Coordinates of all heavy atoms in Angstrom, one line a residue:
F7 N 5.2 -34.6 -8.4 CA 4.4 -33.6 -7.7 C 5.1 -33.3 -6.4 O 5.3 -34.3 -5.6 CB 3.0 -34.1 -7.5 CG 2.3 -34.5 -8.9 CD1 1.8 -35.7 -9.0 CD2 2.2 -33.5 -9.9 CE1 1.3 -36.1 -10.3 CE2 1.7 -33.9 -11.1 CZ 1.2 -35.2 -11.3
V8 N 5.3 -32.1 -6.1 CA 6.0 -31.7 -4.8 C 5.0 -31.0 -3.9 O 4.5 -29.9 -4.3 CB 7.2 -30.8 -5.1 CG1 7.9 -30.5 -3.8 CG2 8.2 -31.5 -6.1
T9 N 4.8 -31.5 -2.8 CA 3.9 -30.9 -1.8 C 4.7 -30.6 -0.5 O 5.7 -31.1 -0.3 CB 2.7 -31.9 -1.4 OG1 3.3 -33.1 -1.0 CG2 1.8 -32.1 -2.6
G10 N 4.0 -29.8 0.3 CA 4.7 -29.4 1.6 C 3.8 -29.5 2.7 O 2.6 -29.3 2.6
G11 N 4.3 -29.9 3.9 CA 3.4 -30.0 5.1 C 4.0 -29.3 6.3 O 5.2 -28.9 6.3
V12 N 3.3 -29.3 7.4 CA 3.7 -28.8 8.7 C 3.7 -27.3 8.7 O 2.9 -26.7 9.5 CB 5.0 -29.4 9.2 CG1 5.3 -28.9 10.6 CG2 5.0 -30.9 9.1
V13 N 4.6 -26.7 8.0 CA 4.7 -25.2 8.0 C 5.0 -24.7 6.6 O 5.5 -25.5 5.8 CB 5.8 -24.6 9.0 CG1 5.5 -24.9 10.4 CG2 7.1 -25.3 8.6
S14 N 4.8 -23.4 6.4 CA 5.2 -22.9 5.1 C 6.7 -22.4 5.2 O 7.3 -22.6 6.2 CB 4.3 -21.7 4.7 OG 4.4 -20.7 5.8
S15 N 7.2 -21.9 4.1 CA 8.6 -21.5 4.0 C 9.6 -22.6 4.3 O 10.7 -22.4 4.9 CB 8.9 -20.4 5.0 OG 8.0 -19.3 4.9
L16 N 9.3 -23.8 3.9 CA 10.2 -24.9 4.0 C 11.3 -24.9 2.9 O 12.3 -25.6 3.0 CB 9.5 -26.3 4.0 CG 8.7 -26.7 5.2 CD1 8.1 -28.0 5.0 CD2 9.7 -26.8 6.4
G17 N 11.0 -24.1 1.9 CA 11.9 -24.1 0.8 C 11.6 -25.2 -0.2 O 12.5 -25.8 -0.8
K18 N 10.3 -25.4 -0.4 CA 9.9 -26.4 -1.4 C 10.4 -26.1 -2.8 O 10.8 -27.0 -3.5 CB 8.3 -26.4 -1.5 CG 7.6 -27.4 -0.8 CD 6.2 -27.5 -1.2 CE 5.5 -26.3 -1.3 NZ 4.5 -25.6 -0.7
G19 N 10.4 -24.8 -3.1 CA 10.8 -24.3 -4.4 C 12.3 -24.7 -4.6 O 12.7 -25.1 -5.7
I20 N 13.1 -24.5 -3.6 CA 14.5 -24.8 -3.7 C 14.7 -26.3 -3.9 O 15.6 -26.7 -4.7 CB 15.2 -24.3 -2.4 CG1 15.0 -22.8 -2.2 CG2 16.7 -24.6 -2.5 CD1 15.6 -21.9 -3.1
V21 N 14.0 -27.1 -3.1 CA 14.2 -28.6 -3.2 C 13.7 -29.0 -4.6 O 14.3 -29.8 -5.2 CB 13.4 -29.3 -2.1 CG1 13.4 -30.8 -2.3 CG2 14.1 -29.0 -0.7
A22 N 12.6 -28.5 -5.0 CA 12.0 -28.9 -6.4 C 13.1 -28.5 -7.4 O 13.4 -29.3 -8.3 CB 10.7 -28.2 -6.6
A23 N 13.6 -27.3 -7.3 CA 14.6 -26.8 -8.3 C 15.9 -27.7 -8.2 O 16.5 -28.0 -9.2 CB 14.9 -25.4 -8.1
S24 N 16.2 -28.1 -7.0 CA 17.5 -28.9 -6.8 C 17.3 -30.3 -7.5 O 18.2 -30.8 -8.1 CB 17.8 -29.1 -5.4 OG 18.0 -27.8 -4.8
L25 N 16.1 -30.8 -7.3 CA 15.8 -32.1 -7.9 C 15.9 -32.0 -9.4 O 16.5 -32.8 -10.1 CB 14.4 -32.7 -7.5 CG 14.0 -33.9 -8.1 CD1 14.9 -35.1 -7.9 CD2 12.6 -34.3 -7.6
G26 N 15.3 -30.9 -9.9 CA 15.3 -30.6 -11.4 C 16.8 -30.5 -11.8 O 17.2 -31.0 -12.9
N27 N 17.6 -29.8 -11.1 CA 18.9 -29.6 -11.4 C 19.7 -30.9 -11.5 O 20.5 -31.1 -12.5 CB 19.5 -28.7 -10.2 CG 20.9 -28.2 -10.5 OD1 21.6 -28.8 -11.3 ND2 21.3 -27.2 -9.8
L28 N 19.5 -31.8 -10.6 CA 20.2 -33.1 -10.5 C 19.8 -33.9 -11.7 O 20.6 -34.6 -12.4 CB 19.9 -33.8 -9.2 CG 20.6 -33.2 -8.0 CD1 20.1 -33.9 -6.7 CD2 22.1 -33.3 -8.1
L29 N 18.5 -33.9 -12.1 CA 18.0 -34.7 -13.2 C 18.6 -34.1 -14.5 O 19.0 -34.8 -15.4 CB 16.5 -34.7 -13.2 CG 15.8 -35.5 -12.1 CD1 14.3 -35.3 -12.1 CD2 16.1 -37.0 -12.2
Q30 N 18.6 -32.8 -14.5 CA 19.2 -32.1 -15.7 C 20.7 -32.5 -15.9 O 21.1 -32.7 -17.0 CB 19.0 -30.6 -15.5 CG 19.0 -29.8 -16.7 CD 19.0 -28.3 -16.4 OE1 19.7 -27.9 -15.4 NE2 18.2 -27.6 -17.1
A31 N 21.4 -32.5 -14.7 CA 22.8 -32.9 -14.8 C 23.0 -34.3 -15.2 O 24.2 -34.7 -15.5 CB 23.4 -32.6 -13.4
R32 N 22.0 -35.1 -15.2 CA 22.1 -36.5 -15.8 C 21.7 -36.5 -17.3 O 21.6 -37.6 -17.9 CB 21.2 -37.4 -15.0 CG 21.6 -37.7 -13.6 CD 20.6 -38.5 -12.9 NE 20.9 -38.9 -11.5 CZ 21.6 -40.0 -11.2 NH1 21.9 -40.9 -12.2 NH2 21.9 -40.3 -10.0
G33 N 21.5 -35.3 -17.8 CA 21.2 -35.2 -19.2 C 19.7 -35.2 -19.6 O 19.3 -35.3 -20.8
Y34 N 18.8 -35.2 -18.6 CA 17.4 -35.2 -18.9 C 16.9 -33.8 -19.2 O 17.5 -32.8 -18.7 CB 16.6 -35.8 -17.7 CG 16.9 -37.3 -17.5 CD1 17.5 -37.7 -16.4 CD2 16.4 -38.2 -18.5 CE1 17.8 -39.1 -16.2 CE2 16.7 -39.5 -18.3 CZ 17.3 -40.0 -17.2 OH 17.6 -41.3 -17.0
R35 N 15.8 -33.7 -19.9 CA 15.1 -32.4 -20.1 C 14.0 -32.3 -19.1 O 13.2 -33.1 -18.9 CB 14.5 -32.4 -21.5 CG 15.5 -32.4 -22.6 CD 14.8 -32.5 -24.0 NE 13.8 -31.4 -24.0 CZ 13.8 -30.4 -24.8 NH1 14.9 -30.2 -25.6 NH2 12.8 -29.5 -24.9
V36 N 14.1 -31.2 -18.3 CA 13.3 -31.0 -17.2 C 12.5 -29.7 -17.3 O 13.0 -28.7 -17.6 CB 14.1 -30.9 -15.9 CG1 13.3 -30.7 -14.7 CG2 15.0 -32.2 -15.7
A37 N 11.2 -29.8 -17.1 CA 10.3 -28.7 -16.9 C 9.9 -28.5 -15.5 O 9.7 -29.6 -14.8 CB 9.1 -28.8 -17.8
I38 N 9.7 -27.3 -15.0 CA 9.3 -27.2 -13.7 C 8.2 -26.1 -13.6 O 8.3 -25.0 -14.2 CB 10.5 -27.0 -12.8 CG1 10.2 -26.7 -11.3 CG2 11.4 -25.9 -13.3 CD1 11.4 -27.0 -10.4
Q39 N 7.2 -26.3 -12.7 CA 6.0 -25.5 -12.7 C 5.6 -25.2 -11.3 O 5.8 -26.1 -10.4 CB 5.0 -26.4 -13.5 CG 3.6 -25.9 -13.5 CD 2.7 -26.9 -14.2 OE1 2.7 -28.1 -13.8 NE2 1.9 -26.5 -15.1
K40 N 4.9 -24.1 -11.1 CA 4.4 -23.8 -9.8 C 2.9 -23.6 -9.8 O 2.4 -22.8 -10.7 CB 5.1 -22.5 -9.3 CG 4.5 -21.9 -8.0 CD 5.4 -22.4 -6.8 CE 4.7 -22.1 -5.4 NZ 5.1 -20.9 -4.8
L41 N 2.2 -24.2 -9.0 CA 0.7 -24.0 -8.8 C 0.5 -23.2 -7.6 O 0.8 -23.6 -6.5 CB 0.0 -25.3 -8.7 CG 0.3 -26.4 -9.8 CD1 -0.6 -27.7 -9.5 CD2 0.0 -25.9 -11.2
D42 N -0.1 -22.0 -7.7 CA -0.3 -21.2 -6.5 C -1.7 -21.1 -6.2 O -2.5 -20.6 -7.0 CB 0.3 -19.7 -6.8 CG 1.7 -19.6 -6.4 OD1 2.0 -20.0 -5.2 OD2 2.5 -19.1 -7.1
P43 N -2.1 -21.4 -5.0 CA -3.5 -21.5 -4.6 C -4.2 -20.2 -4.3 O -5.3 -20.2 -3.9 CB -3.5 -22.4 -3.4 CG -2.2 -23.0 -3.3 CD -1.3 -22.1 -3.9
Y44 N -3.6 -19.0 -4.6 CA -4.3 -17.8 -4.3 C -5.2 -17.4 -5.5 O -5.1 -17.9 -6.6 CB -3.4 -16.6 -3.9 CG -2.2 -16.4 -4.7 CD1 -2.2 -15.9 -6.0 CD2 -0.9 -16.8 -4.2 CE1 -1.1 -15.6 -6.7 CE2 0.2 -16.5 -5.0 CZ 0.1 -16.0 -6.2 OH 1.3 -15.8 -7.0
L45 N -6.1 -16.4 -5.2 CA -7.1 -16.0 -6.2 C -6.7 -14.9 -7.1 O -7.4 -14.7 -8.1 CB -8.4 -15.6 -5.5 CG -9.2 -16.8 -4.9 CD1 -10.4 -16.4 -4.1 CD2 -9.8 -17.7 -6.1
N46 N -5.6 -14.3 -6.9 CA -5.1 -13.3 -7.8 C -4.8 -14.1 -9.1 O -4.3 -15.2 -9.1 CB -3.8 -12.7 -7.3 CG -4.0 -12.1 -6.0 OD1 -4.2 -12.8 -5.0 ND2 -3.9 -10.8 -5.9
V47 N -5.1 -13.4 -10.2 CA -4.9 -14.1 -11.5 C -3.3 -14.2 -11.7 O -2.8 -15.2 -12.2 CB -5.5 -13.3 -12.7 CG1 -5.1 -13.8 -14.0 CG2 -7.1 -13.4 -12.5
D48 N -2.6 -13.2 -11.4 CA -1.2 -13.3 -11.3 C -0.7 -12.4 -10.1 O -1.5 -11.6 -9.6 CB -0.4 -13.0 -12.6 CG -0.6 -11.5 -13.0 OD1 -0.5 -10.6 -12.1 OD2 -0.7 -11.2 -14.2

Side-chain angles (χ1 to χ4, degrees):
F7 306 121
V8 181
T9 55
V12 186
V13 291
S14 57
S15 307
L16 281 180
K18 260 192 317 246
I20 305 291
V21 170
S24 299
L25 175 57
N27 189 340
L28 290 171
L29 292 170
Q30 203 186 42
R32 288 173 178 270
Y34 292 112
R35 291 176 53 112
V36 180
I38 178 160
Q39 174 186 48
K40 173 96 192 267
L41 309 182
D42 267 312
Y44 47 73
L45 283 170
N46 304 64
V47 172
D48 67 38

